[in-house]
Amino acid sequence: SVRTSAFHVVSIISTTGVTTTDYTLWPFLPQALLLVLMFIGGCGGSTSGGFKCMRVLLLLKCAYDELVMTLHPRAIRHLKLGKTSISNDVVNSVLNYFIIFLGIMLCCALLLAVSGLDLLTSFSSAISCISCVGPAFGLPGADSDYSGFSDFAKLCLSLTMLLGRIEIYAVLVLVMPSFWRD
């Protein structure tokens, strides 16, 4: 069982989409962990999908620094990843990206729920598609696919996957009117 669970963790976080067993039969905690890993995705600089581990680490360090600053308001802290000091512009950029990433994922999940899918299927499918993972929970489980979804749901998931694969900013810049002006 350790080998099987390790295989699924690597498959989910690297967004290869391969499954060997029905992980939907596992207890709640391992399923929740897989769902979180779907959202996080791979390492920064890799071709895997998801929000990326480096961004999550930066957000966690930022939250920790805010807690320390609450306890010690006069302290001077510099946010670092490894030995590299991170500027406030980078932190703001990551926070903005997180808000946009989460907003797109939630909008997709709500549109899927409105189209008649249950909440588990809606949210896991939205996370899976924006992170380009493949498998999800609910209807598109380990031994199924998205073929039973309505055309509207497939279109919504396709657009979400496009945003997640190409990177959100690149697609959003293309739809801005100022991009197309001289």
Side-chain angles (χ1 to χ4, degrees), residues 4-181:
T4 301
S5 59
F7 176 83
H8 281 85
V9 165
V10 170
S11 176
I12 293 291
I13 205 162
S14 65
T15 65
T16 55
V18 178
T19 59
T20 58
T21 60
D22 190 359
Y23 55 81
T24 60
L25 301 175
W26 295 358
F28 172 76
L29 191 59
Q31 287 187 39
L33 180 64
L34 285 179
L35 198 61
V36 169
L37 291 176
M38 282 181 189
F39 181 82
I40 293 173
C43 295
S46 73
T47 58
S48 63
F51 186 68
K52 306 288 189 212
C53 294
M54 186 182 295
R55 291 179 182 140
V56 171
L57 180 62
L58 187 65
L59 289 178
L60 291 173
K61 284 185 174 240
C62 183
Y64 176 76
D65 275 2
E66 285 298 318
L67 287 174
V68 169
M69 293 301 289
T70 301
L71 290 173
H72 308 286
R74 295 184 183 170
I76 298 174
R77 304 226 357 131
H78 298 284
L79 190 63
K80 291 185 175 187
L81 279 177
K83 294 181 181 179
T84 306
S85 185
I86 306 297
S87 70
N88 286 337
D89 291 339
V90 172
V91 172
N92 287 337
S93 176
V94 170
L95 286 171
N96 289 335
Y97 185 79
F98 177 71
I99 290 169
I100 292 170
F101 190 89
L102 193 63
I104 290 170
M105 190 263 314
L106 289 174
C107 285
C108 177
L110 291 175
L111 287 172
L112 292 175
V114 167
S115 75
L117 297 172
D118 63 285
L119 288 178
L120 176 64
T121 300
S122 298
F123 279 99
S124 69
S125 297
I127 290 171
S128 179
C129 284
I130 197 164
S131 297
C132 299
V133 173
F137 293 93
L139 292 178
D143 58 347
S144 188
D145 56 21
Y146 296 90
S147 61
F149 284 27
S150 68
D151 290 341
F152 173 76
K154 288 178 189 175
L155 177 66
C156 182
L157 289 172
S158 297
L159 292 174
T160 303
M161 189 177 288
L162 179 70
L163 284 169
R165 176 48 63 199
I166 295 178
E167 282 295 327
I168 294 168
Y169 286 141
V171 176
L172 292 181
V173 164
L174 285 175
V175 298
M176 292 179 64
S178 60
F179 178 78
W180 297 101
R181 289 188 195 128

